[in-house]
Amino acid sequence: MAMPAPPDQPGTDGVCQRVNRMFGRIGDKWTILVVTMLMDRPRRFNELKRLIGGISQQMLSRTLRSLEHDGLVTRTVHPSVPPQVEYGLTPLGQSLAQPLTQLAMWMLSHLDEIEQHRALRDMQEGQLPAVRLAEP
């Protein structure tokens, strides 16, 4: 399927509007992190929360619900007390994980170059370069 040509008036083509909505949802940082954390195997809610770090319980719930609604994630309830819920990628979700992984690899291989460009631009604009935080 070929991408439609951009319309003469931005935002008027129905297909482009639908694609933009999906980019908004899939391009969200929490969505990307959830999908990549589920690539290898299904995981329980608290395990996802620990692995992602910095995500609130409410945001993780909302993200998982959206992904499930879009058919990218399955939710399996295991009968136990208390019930255990496990999330996994559907085949559609797995097909999204592949290009997300490629995008992440591109970022990793170009991160230093991008940061150098940012620092140069900041110096040209008379701004102090951003402080690089130590990674945990």
Side-chain angles (χ1 to χ4, degrees):
M1 174 178 199
M3 279 295 285
D8 293 333
Q9 293 187 340
T12 60
D13 183 78
V15 173
C16 289
Q17 289 173 351
R18 290 171 55 208
V19 168
N20 284 339
R21 279 194 299 274
M22 286 310 298
F23 270 139
R25 178 167 299 162
I26 291 171
D28 173 81
K29 96 175 175 180
W30 299 124
T31 296
I32 292 170
L33 290 170
V34 167
V35 169
T36 56
M37 290 299 119
L38 293 174
M39 273 185 358
D40 295 332
R41 63 182 175 85
R43 297 182 188 271
R44 291 178 39 200
F45 184 91
N46 286 330
E47 183 182 8
L48 280 171
K49 191 170 182 319
R50 273 192 310 275
L51 286 170
I52 293 172
I55 189 170
S56 70
Q57 185 166 335
Q58 180 183 8
M59 182 54 72
L60 181 55
S61 293
R62 187 179 304 156
T63 302
L64 287 166
R65 215 173 8 257
S66 288
L67 291 170
E68 185 180 7
H69 185 258
D70 289 339
L72 301 170
V73 165
T74 59
R75 179 179 186 268
T76 305
V77 180
H78 298 285
S80 62
V81 178
Q84 293 183 352
V85 180
E86 194 174 66
Y87 297 90
L89 292 179
T90 64
L92 183 61
Q94 284 290 347
S95 72
L96 172 62
Q98 293 169 354
L100 287 180
T101 301
Q102 291 173 337
L103 179 60
M105 296 305 296
W106 179 89
M107 282 186 216
L108 286 171
S109 65
H110 292 88
L111 200 53
D112 289 339
E113 183 180 352
I114 292 168
E115 288 175 348
Q116 289 170 359
H117 283 282
R118 286 181 177 176
L120 179 62
R121 180 67 178 229
D122 289 346
M123 287 186 345
Q124 289 172 345
E125 292 177 355
Q127 298 176 2
L128 294 175
V131 176
R132 190 173 188 175
L133 300 175
E135 296 189 21

